[in-house]
Amino acid sequence: MTTWYEGPLAAFDTETTGVDVETDRIVSAAVVVQDAPGTRPRVCRWLVNPGVSVPEAATAVHGLTEEHLQHNGRWPAPVMYEIAEQLAEHAAMGRPLVVMNAPFDLTLLDRELRRHRASSLDRWFESVPLRVLDPRVLDKHLDRYRKGRRTLTDLCAHYEVTLQGAHEAAADALAALDVVRALGRRFASRLERLTPGELHTLQANWHAAQARGLQAWFARSGSEEIVSTDWPLRPDMPAAA
């Protein structure tokens, strides 16, 4: 029997105007599908004119300028619909969805759907559940005592995954997918008997524990930063967002 990490997977990633899920916008996105390790991935990309200014700091990360997006990007409303539709189709076909740091990308998508479609991400998964695999949560739980950062670049280096063109949505999505496969193989004895649905539930618990640990560390450090325990999607945005 083929294990979930050797079978079909989809992956999702975004590039944005910043790091605030309530106010920042998606400027590019990609969904990557791979049926098995080593097979050619299928890639769908979107370029978005967010309708707001693109800070230079964001452009320095992903290379997308405000002028380029104004001339080449599509309006957000149809793009957000198409992305949500694709994710729902993959869920209906039983493909787990790989999302690195899922509460960021999925919450951003939810907020964009609310902003431009008067909808929400949850509405797309009322009949078929979304089963997410988050390499950041998985790695922090399975190798919790390893020191060092756990960005996508760091995980790629640790699991010997090639990341070409970092901070391009399709490249990052494919790399996250490959990291999840590598995680599955490395921790096969702990993961192979679990279904993606079971792992989805476990990751919600693992992330909550990880967030509480980080919150305690902030408190000891005198920081007032609040760490959300919600995964893979944060609660509804405030009315002012």
Side-chain angles (χ1 to χ4, degrees):
M1 180 181 296
T2 302
T3 58
W4 58 264
Y5 51 84
E6 302 290 358
L9 295 175
F12 172 61
D13 189 73
T14 65
E15 299 299 330
T16 69
T17 60
V19 297
D20 187 332
V21 296
E22 303 296 349
T23 59
D24 280 305
R25 310 298 175 90
I26 294 173
V27 297
S28 71
V31 173
V32 175
V33 181
Q34 189 184 47
D35 294 325
T39 61
R40 186 186 182 104
R42 302 187 295 280
V43 179
C44 188
R45 293 180 173 88
W46 292 269
L47 194 65
V48 185
N49 178 356
V52 299
S53 61
V54 180
E56 291 182 3
T59 297
V61 173
H62 49 59
L64 298 170
T65 65
E66 186 172 335
E67 181 180 13
H68 178 77
L69 293 168
Q70 288 175 348
H71 285 89
N72 299 282
R74 296 169 58 199
W75 289 114
V79 170
M80 302 311 151
Y81 181 93
E82 290 170 14
I83 295 172
E85 184 179 46
Q86 272 216 21
L87 299 186
E89 288 176 356
H90 291 308
M93 286 185 276
R95 293 190 184 108
L97 181 68
V98 175
V99 190
M100 174 72 185
N101 192 17
F104 180 77
D105 293 84
L106 294 183
T107 302
L108 262 170
L109 176 59
D110 175 78
R111 301 320 190 240
E112 290 279 50
L113 286 166
R114 293 172 185 273
R115 187 176 290 120
H116 297 291
R117 303 289 310 190
S119 181
S120 70
L121 191 58
D122 283 338
R123 292 184 187 178
W124 287 89
F125 300 98
E126 292 175 342
S127 58
V128 180
L130 181 65
R131 297 172 299 170
V132 175
L133 300 170
D134 187 333
R136 186 170 182 269
V137 174
L138 289 168
D139 176 70
K140 288 182 72 173
H141 178 78
L142 295 166
D143 198 0
R144 68 181 69 185
Y145 299 114
R146 189 179 82 249
K147 295 182 179 180
R149 301 174 62 197
R150 299 180 193 242
T151 66
L152 180 59
T153 300
D154 297 315
L155 294 185
C156 287
H158 182 71
Y159 290 100
E160 300 180 341
V161 167
T162 300
L163 173 55
Q164 294 181 336
H167 300 298
E168 190 276 324
D172 286 355
L174 180 58
L177 188 153
D178 287 339
V179 166
V180 164
R181 293 200 190 280
L183 268 162
R185 288 189 288 268
R186 183 167 300 188
F187 297 100
S189 63
R190 299 166 65 182
L191 296 176
E192 63 185 357
R193 293 180 178 83
L194 296 170
T195 67
E198 291 169 334
L199 264 177
H200 181 100
T201 301
L202 286 170
Q203 285 171 100
N205 295 329
W206 296 342
H207 177 271
Q210 293 162 8
R212 287 192 294 268
L214 182 58
Q215 188 72 76
W217 185 86
F218 280 145
R220 291 193 300 270
S221 303
S223 171
E224 297 182 356
E225 184 170 347
I226 301 300
V227 183
S228 173
T229 59
D230 296 290
W231 182 97
L233 183 66
R234 295 180 188 174
D236 297 356
M237 64 179 175

